[in-house]
Amino acid sequence: MENQENNNGQLQIELKEEVAEGTYANLAIITHSSSEFILDFVRVLPGMPKAGVKSRIVLAPEHAKRLLRALEDNIGKYECSFGPIRMPDEQPLPPLTGIKGEA
């Protein structure tokens, strides 16, 4: 509590070096239940028949919606600065089929 008062009520966030390096993923699989959203981030490599989940994030529905809004806001700011993000095909991606995994 005393630490919070010294920082005018602001939350201090620590970013450890091993986390700051980041984890590359080129596929996200999103599932949900009535109480949570699960985001699995996967790295798929060309020619490899198997891909592993590199990170899993579990969010409450309210936090998932906040994440959506934050991403929309940041994509808008990015596109204002650097131009539109071009997608190879503007058609929606079909659902992934044949993916098997373990929870």
Side-chain angles (χ1 to χ4, degrees):
M1 289 273 192
E2 188 174 276
N3 191 19
Q4 248 186 341
E5 290 174 17
N6 292 338
N7 295 316
N8 297 322
Q10 292 182 349
L11 177 66
Q12 289 187 359
I13 297 175
E14 178 185 8
L15 181 60
K16 296 181 179 178
E17 189 174 336
E18 63 271 12
V19 175
E21 293 176 10
T23 301
Y24 179 77
N26 53 9
L27 173 67
I29 299 172
I30 303 170
T31 56
H32 67 277
S33 69
S34 62
S35 60
E36 61 194 17
F37 279 74
I38 301 168
L39 287 70
D40 285 330
F41 294 94
V42 180
R43 182 182 311 149
V44 179
L45 298 174
M48 299 295 289
K50 193 173 183 180
V53 173
K54 296 298 176 182
S55 183
R56 171 175 275 189
I57 306 295
V58 181
L59 302 165
E62 296 84 1
H63 292 142
K65 196 160 199 175
R66 286 186 185 106
L67 175 61
L68 171 65
R69 290 178 180 165
L71 282 169
E72 288 173 335
D73 180 56
N74 278 270
I75 288 171
K77 290 175 183 175
Y78 176 94
E79 291 184 324
C80 283
S81 295
F82 304 107
I85 298 171
R86 305 245 184 250
M87 299 298 289
D89 185 1
E90 289 295 332
Q91 295 178 354
L93 294 174
L96 295 174
T97 58
I99 294 179
K100 297 179 182 175
E102 296 178 19

